[in-house]
Amino acid sequence: CLRADSNEDDFNDVIVVGELDLKDMPASCSTQRSGAGTASSLSALARQIDMRAKEGDIEEMKRLIAEAGTDHQEVLNLPLWSYRTPLHTAARHGHFATASELIRANANVNAKSRLSRAPLH
């Protein structure tokens, strides 16, 4: 299970193998099966968007943002690893087109990480 309280070192050690199937996750995980729009489903969607931002996969990221529907701004601005957002991740990995797409989708350019860094510092 991935925990929202993981530290920055944990973030760098995450290895994703295939796609996550939420129905197979144990109940003890922080991301549990739930209906659309619940806090855990929004958090799971935010983590998926974050991984696409890390990879620079703009098309899949746009699809996930569209999947969030009216909650897309909340999803884009959820603090994840060390209070970083997908915009922090895209900028950190040098994916400028991905970062631009997130900004167009209303990602907060002033969001602060655990170290008080904005995505575009």
Side-chain angles (χ1 to χ4, degrees):
C1 295
L2 299 177
R3 295 186 334 265
D5 63 341
S6 296
N7 67 32
E8 187 170 319
D9 292 332
D10 292 339
F11 175 75
N12 292 329
D13 293 337
V14 171
I15 298 173
V16 175
V17 179
E19 293 297 317
L20 293 176
D21 189 351
L22 297 178
K23 71 179 179 9
D24 294 331
M25 288 187 143
S28 61
C29 286
S30 62
T31 302
Q32 298 177 6
R33 288 175 278 163
S34 58
T38 64
S40 62
S41 66
L42 293 179
S43 179
L45 191 54
R47 285 192 299 275
Q48 290 176 18
I49 290 170
D50 190 70
M51 290 305 295
R52 298 313 173 254
K54 181 179 179 181
E55 297 165 355
D57 187 347
I58 295 173
E59 293 308 312
E60 181 62 13
M61 189 184 69
K62 286 167 69 173
R63 187 193 69 73
L64 291 166
I65 292 169
E67 185 178 315
T70 58
D71 293 323
H72 81 276
Q73 194 166 356
E74 180 180 353
V75 168
L76 290 179
N77 295 307
L78 271 175
L80 298 169
W81 327 102
S82 297
Y83 297 99
R84 284 186 256 169
T85 64
L87 183 55
H88 284 93
T89 301
R92 179 175 186 215
H93 291 279
H95 298 299
F96 303 112
T98 304
S100 295
E101 187 60 40
L102 288 164
I103 292 168
R104 275 193 287 282
N106 294 319
N108 182 359
V109 297
N110 296 311
K112 299 291 184 194
S113 71
R114 180 177 52 86
L115 300 174
S116 298
R117 292 187 176 150
L120 309 178
H121 73 274

